[in-house]
């Protein structure tokens, strides 16, 4: 029996989830100020930094746990899902055990937070998301990352389309069938719920919402993308998409003061154009400075969250160079904290599609133009490189392939997304580019990182149309079309194969090409011959 005067949203939390909202203090959509107060009071390690941001700690987990992600095997959805190492099956019984464990834990807390907000800026495709959690840091994080509801929208919010039950402070039972660790990130599309146990890393919620959109949007004929997007401020309002794995410059290059930011990470491409999934940004904070990334640095103020950073205990000045807690330090902030961000975060059909890679082998050109088939090949491959010293045991450049530049979040087979992207490219006559922000003049340890100013000049040339009028030549092994000149970029670095004096260059070029070929073997079944042919050809 519900207590007299209980609000409709509280009744929903009680009925649908099992939270004892009539016995526990449950705060809906708390303000940033209240989240600050509660985090500092109840969550050890929290503090207000000198720039006004809330510093918070995520506990033992300072990054996502993709090996612990599970999707419930449910008949209406099973045939659609790309089962394997990315999407691991879980049975109904184990999901029910984890869910009840999470709810039981939340019912032992003195206070809980409920965030009701939206995913997707296009009203025709947005989802109502509800987050139930016990940490103020998590509540503020999702207030930043989701699209904030107005008072009127909260009054008519009704039942959510998807609910996140975050009991990350409580461990999963390793003896539960299907569990391999005390961490469990489980999604049920049938129940429209995500359950988190054993991880307080806030990014699990953000990427959980993206995974949901990554499944549901293609069902509606809408392409979901792990990409950033911006829009020109001229009359054409030209839109560009940027794909890239961590460390490739996706967030940095899309935060351009001369263009309006639509979003830095997750988007959808519908028949009407592009729309951002999120209401905020989640940027890397390591080595952040006002000189290198002024837009992101200046977004660090009241309302933003600095995650797992170290700071002076007296001045509260953050040491962005420190990796004492983790290399994966982060900052979360509402998108309107970026000057010139476009709100609502929607745009027209993209004119340019940019695939970013950080090649530590020092063999890929800084920029090349892609055919439709090459776009599909490199999109499915999703290449970048880990560099020596970043992980234990990595002593030389190591190729990393992540399908569609976001394999951990794929639900459908990569060909589903790649085919939809190629169809969009063709229908809207967009240009496709491969931009390398990695090493030139030799591999990591010998050559040097391509200066950010050169990468920005390349992107500027793409946006200005200069690249469309450039003269091109064919690059060996990869068959890429490389421009002979780009304004603001030394011509001698544009075609490494033509000017290199490095005796090992062609060996490394073929070595990387062979890694591409080996990686693509897993996708050959069902792949069109012209897509496979768009890959490297060893010399």
């Amino acid at each position: 029996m519900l207590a007299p005067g209980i609000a409709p949203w509280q009744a929903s939390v009680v009925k649908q989830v099992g939270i004892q909202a009539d016995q526990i203090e449950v705060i809906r959509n708390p303000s940033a100020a209240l989240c600050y107060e509660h985090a500092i009071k109840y969550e050890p390690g929290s503090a207000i930094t000198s720039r006004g941001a809330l510093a918070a700690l995520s506990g033992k987990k300072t990054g996502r746990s993709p090996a612990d992600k599970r999707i419930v095997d449910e008949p209406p959805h099973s045939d659609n899902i790309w089962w394997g190492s990315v999407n691991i099956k879980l049975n109904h019984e184990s999901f029910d055990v984890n869910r009840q464990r999470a709810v039981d834990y939340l019912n032992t807390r003195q206070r809980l937070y409920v965030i009701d907000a939206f995913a997707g800026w296009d009203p025709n495709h947005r989802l109502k998301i509800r987050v139930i959690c016990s940490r103020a840091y998590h509540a503020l994080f999702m207030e930043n990352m989701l699209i904030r509801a107005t008072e009127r929208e909260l009054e008519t919010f009704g039942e959510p389309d998807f609910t996140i039950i975050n009991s990350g402070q409580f461990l999963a039972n390793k003896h539960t069938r299907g569990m391999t660790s005390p961490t469990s990130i489980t999604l049920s599309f049938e129940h429209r719920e995500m359950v988190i146990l054993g991880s307080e890393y806030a990014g699990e919620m953000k990427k959980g919402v993206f995974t949901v959109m990554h499944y549901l949007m293609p069902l509606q004929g809408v392409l979901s993308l792990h990409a950033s997007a911006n829009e020109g401020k001229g009359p054409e309002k030209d839109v560009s998409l940027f794909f890239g794995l961590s460390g490739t410059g996706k967030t940095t290059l899309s935060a351009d003061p001369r263009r309006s930011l639509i979003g830095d990470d997750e988007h959808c491409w519908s028949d009407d154009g592009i729309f951002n999934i999120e209401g905020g940004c989640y940027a890397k904070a390591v080595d952040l400075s006002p000189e290198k990334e002024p837009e992101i640095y200046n977004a660090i103020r009241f309302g933003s969250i600095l995650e797992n950073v170290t700071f002076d205990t007296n001045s509260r000045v953050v040491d962005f160079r420190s990796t004492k807690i983790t290399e994966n330090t982060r900052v979360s902030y509402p998108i309107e904290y970026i000057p010139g961000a476009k709100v609502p975060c929607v745009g027209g059909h993209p004119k340019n599609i940019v695939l970013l890679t950080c090649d530590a082998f020092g063999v890929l050109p800084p920029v090349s133009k892609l055919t439709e088939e090459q776009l599909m090949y490199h999109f499915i491959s999703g290449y970048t490189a880990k560099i020596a010293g970043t992980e234990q045991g990595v002593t030389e450049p190591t190729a990393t392939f992540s399908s569609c530049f976001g394999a951990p979040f794929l639900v459908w087979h990569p060909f589903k997304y790649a085919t939809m992207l190629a169809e969009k490219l063709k229908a809207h006559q967009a240009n496709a580019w491969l931009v390398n922000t990695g090493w030139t003049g030799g591999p990591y340890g010998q050559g040097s990182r391509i200066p950010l100013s050169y990468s920005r000049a390349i992107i500027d040339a793409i946006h200005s149309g200069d690249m469309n009028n450039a003269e091109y030549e064919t690059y060996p092994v990869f068959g890429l079309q490389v421009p002979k000149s780009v304004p603001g970029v030394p011509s001698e670095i544009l075609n490494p194969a033509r000017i290199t004096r490095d005796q090992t260059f062609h060996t490394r070029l073929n070595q990387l090409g062979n890694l591409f070929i080996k990686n693509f073997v897993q996708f050959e079944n069902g792949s069109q011959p012209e897509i496979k042919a768009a890959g490297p050809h060893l010399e």
Side-chain angles (χ1 to χ4, degrees):
M1 191 78 179
L2 296 177
I6 190 168
W9 67 268
Q10 290 175 301
S12 173
V13 169
V14 172
K15 181 180 179 181
Q16 298 297 327
V17 181
I19 300 299
Q20 298 170 4
D22 54 343
Q23 300 177 30
I24 301 170
E25 180 186 14
V26 182
I27 306 167
R28 189 191 198 195
N29 290 40
S31 67
L34 184 60
C35 288
Y36 271 49
E37 181 181 324
H38 283 195
I40 292 167
K41 188 174 182 179
Y42 303 118
E43 299 174 14
S46 300
I48 302 175
T49 65
S50 61
R51 294 187 58 83
L54 175 68
L57 298 175
S58 66
K60 291 183 178 180
K61 297 285 185 176
T62 57
R64 290 180 298 100
S65 301
D68 296 308
K69 188 187 83 173
R70 303 288 186 271
I71 295 179
V72 182
D73 185 7
E74 297 156 320
H77 308 284
S78 291
D79 290 343
N80 298 333
I81 296 173
W82 185 39
W83 297 112
S85 60
V86 172
N87 300 304
I88 303 172
K89 292 183 180 182
L90 188 71
N91 62 73
H92 273 287
E93 293 76 13
S94 294
F95 173 77
D96 291 341
V97 169
N98 283 355
R99 184 188 187 280
Q100 191 59 53
R101 192 173 178 86
V103 171
D104 287 347
Y105 171 77
L106 292 179
N107 279 327
T108 67
R109 303 296 89 192
Q110 291 185 340
R111 70 195 58 80
L112 299 176
Y113 307 93
V114 171
I115 303 300
D116 284 340
F118 302 102
W121 278 91
D122 185 339
N124 295 319
H125 300 291
R126 74 180 186 181
L127 295 183
K128 295 183 291 184
I129 304 294
R130 172 166 289 164
V131 180
I132 305 173
C133 57
S134 60
R135 289 197 62 180
Y137 141 58
H138 289 159
L140 180 57
F141 178 88
M142 291 307 282
E143 272 278 281
N144 284 349
M145 300 312 301
L146 292 171
I147 300 164
R148 289 158 290 287
T150 64
E151 288 296 326
R152 183 172 179 80
E153 287 172 334
L154 286 176
E155 290 174 3
T156 59
F157 194 80
E159 295 299 324
D161 297 312
F162 215 88
T163 300
I164 297 175
I165 305 171
N166 188 343
S167 295
Q169 293 164 283
F170 196 54
L171 302 180
N173 188 332
K174 290 190 292 184
H175 297 291
T176 301
R177 183 182 172 191
M179 298 297 100
T180 55
S181 83
T183 299
S184 173
I185 316 297
T186 308
L187 288 93
S188 168
F189 291 115
E190 187 70 11
H191 289 276
R192 299 181 301 165
E193 290 181 340
M194 174 182 179
V195 175
I196 300 175
L197 292 167
S199 175
E200 298 175 61
Y201 180 64
E204 294 287 10
M205 295 182 288
K206 164 189 159 64
K207 288 306 184 186
V209 172
F210 181 52
T211 301
V212 170
M213 294 290 281
H214 227 14
Y215 176 65
L216 296 180
M217 288 299 102
L219 281 174
Q220 300 177 21
V222 176
L223 174 60
S224 48
L225 301 164
H226 187 223
S228 59
N230 64 22
E231 180 184 82
K233 295 181 178 180
E236 290 187 7
K237 301 289 185 183
D238 61 293
V239 172
S240 290
L241 283 176
F242 298 83
F243 294 88
L245 299 173
S246 180
T248 59
K250 176 165 64 77
T251 298
T252 301
L253 292 173
S254 59
D256 186 337
R258 291 160 295 183
R259 295 174 65 83
S260 299
L261 180 69
I262 298 175
D264 78 330
D265 196 38
E266 303 168 3
H267 291 80
C268 290
W269 191 348
S270 73
D271 291 339
D272 298 317
I274 288 291
F275 65 89
N276 191 353
I277 290 174
E278 302 181 293
C281 302
Y282 192 41
K284 280 186 171 292
V286 66
D287 289 327
L288 189 62
S289 71
E291 294 78 24
K292 290 192 296 184
E293 298 173 283
E295 291 80 21
I296 297 172
Y297 185 86
N298 290 327
I300 300 173
R301 50 191 168 102
F302 182 81
S304 61
I305 299 173
L306 283 166
E307 194 175 55
N308 296 319
V309 299
T310 56
F311 49 85
D312 185 273
T313 56
N314 182 40
S315 68
R316 294 297 198 260
V317 172
V318 175
D319 181 2
F320 289 105
R321 296 170 298 177
S322 173
T323 55
K324 182 179 180 180
I325 298 174
T326 177
E327 292 186 358
N328 189 35
T329 55
R330 294 272 181 168
V331 56
S332 161
Y333 49 88
I335 193 167
E336 56 265 29
Y337 281 18
I338 294 291
K342 187 180 182 185
V343 180
C345 304
V346 297
H349 296 290
K351 183 178 179 180
N352 290 291
I353 297 171
V354 180
L355 308 186
L356 295 164
T357 184
C358 175
D359 175 38
F361 290 82
V363 295
L364 288 182
V367 60
S368 52
K369 191 169 186 178
L370 302 177
T371 65
E372 179 183 321
E373 292 76 20
Q374 287 174 328
L375 170 68
M376 291 186 69
Y377 184 92
H378 286 275
F379 180 67
I380 291 170
S381 298
Y383 163 72
T384 194
K386 295 178 182 177
I387 57 177
T390 58
E391 293 186 11
Q392 186 174 354
V394 178
T395 57
E396 59 183 25
T398 304
T400 299
F401 295 94
S402 185
S403 297
C404 308
F405 295 93
F409 322 118
L410 299 181
V411 184
W412 299 84
H413 191 281
F415 279 131
K416 175 80 169 180
Y417 305 98
T419 301
M420 292 180 73
L421 179 61
E423 290 171 350
K424 295 283 189 184
L425 180 85
K426 190 172 184 179
H428 301 288
Q429 298 181 327
N431 297 310
W433 313 89
L434 180 65
V435 174
N436 172 29
T437 62
W439 269 254
T440 184
Y444 174 79
Q446 297 178 26
S448 59
R449 185 84 186 253
I450 296 173
L452 179 58
S453 60
Y454 293 173
S455 296
R456 288 197 185 279
I458 288 169
I459 299 301
D460 288 345
I462 289 172
H463 288 151
S464 69
D466 287 342
M467 295 289 286
N468 294 328
N469 302 319
E471 184 180 354
Y472 288 85
E473 57 187 334
T474 302
Y475 198 67
V477 178
F478 283 83
L480 302 168
Q481 293 301 300
V482 178
K484 292 185 177 180
S485 65
V486 176
V489 181
S491 58
E492 58 266 22
I493 76 166
L494 292 174
N495 190 333
R498 184 159 51 84
I499 56 91
T500 185
R501 296 178 181 178
D502 181 355
Q503 298 299 314
T504 66
F505 177 85
H506 288 283
T507 299
R508 296 198 315 275
L509 183 62
N510 278 284
Q511 178 188 5
L512 180 60
N514 190 46
L515 292 173
F516 268 85
I517 292 168
K518 287 182 177 179
N519 173 73
F520 204 79
V521 168
Q522 62 183 309
F523 304 117
E524 287 182 354
N525 186 21
S527 173
Q528 297 173 350
E530 55 267 31
I531 298 175
K532 180 182 176 182
H537 296 269
L538 304 183
E539 297 178 352

